[in-house]
């Protein structure tokens, strides 16, 4: 699976950005998709995840502000980020992995454990 992020940049506080992640090389399977970020000197944290059934989950810090979505026809994952704050400044990564469907329902492992990663796109909020 290859993932390529785009859409990062510099924005003033209160502004918006939409990140994109073009995916390729994956088969028809129940994948989990996610966005994570890492600020300088801080641990990488999960921002948002979308499960194989399309259910999104968000970190508390971005609930109501960020929206994760996936366009299956375009094989592209998105992260719409609104009302950005300086503390949102970080390198943002797209990640993916197969969902765990062993119990019948599919669920996602923690995003930090995903196997497939993009190279990251920088978001700077001032």
């Amino acid at each position: 699976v290859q993932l390529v992020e785009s859409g990062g940049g510099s924005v003033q506080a209160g502004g918006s950005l939409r990140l994109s992640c073009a995916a390729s090389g994956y088969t028809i399977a129940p994948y989990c998709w996610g966005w994570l970020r890492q600020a300088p000197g801080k641990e990488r944290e999960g921002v948002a995840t979308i499960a194989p059934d399309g259910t999104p989950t968000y970190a508390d810090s971005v609930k109501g502000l960020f929206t994760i979505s996936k366009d299956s026809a375009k094989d592209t994952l998105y992260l719409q980020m609104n009302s950005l704050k300086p503390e949102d400044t970080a390198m943002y990564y797209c990640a993916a992995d197969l969902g765990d469907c062993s119990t019948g329902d599919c669920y996602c492992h923690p995003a930090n454990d995903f196997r497939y990663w993009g190279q990251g796109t920088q978001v700077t909020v001032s």
Side-chain angles (χ1 to χ4, degrees):
V1 178
Q2 292 80 47
L3 303 171
V4 180
E5 302 98 332
S6 61
S10 296
V11 64
Q12 290 189 338
S16 298
L17 282 175
R18 187 177 79 158
L19 305 183
S20 300
C21 174
S24 62
Y26 65 99
T27 59
I28 298 176
Y31 274 88
C32 298
W33 306 88
W35 289 98
L36 301 92
R37 66 186 180 186
Q38 187 167 23
K42 294 188 177 181
E43 293 186 354
R44 188 172 59 200
E45 62 171 348
V47 175
T49 302
I50 192 163
D53 67 356
T55 301
T57 57
Y58 298 95
D60 288 342
S61 58
V62 304
K63 281 181 181 177
L65 301 175
F66 291 9
T67 303
I68 188 172
S69 62
K70 189 174 185 295
D71 186 333
S72 296
K74 296 182 178 179
D75 290 331
T76 302
L77 182 72
Y78 300 100
L79 184 69
Q80 177 66 44
M81 305 185 294
N82 298 328
S83 301
L84 283 161
K85 307 170 187 175
E87 50 264 43
D88 294 317
T89 295
M91 184 71 78
Y92 282 71
Y93 297 92
C94 169
D97 204 347
L98 287 169
D100 186 337
C101 306
S102 60
T103 61
D105 294 326
C106 295
Y107 71 94
C108 299
H109 294 292
N112 268 305
D113 295 336
F114 285 3
R115 289 179 291 170
Y116 307 109
W117 291 80
Q119 81 290 347
T121 186
Q122 178 68 39
V123 171
T124 302
V125 185
S126 60

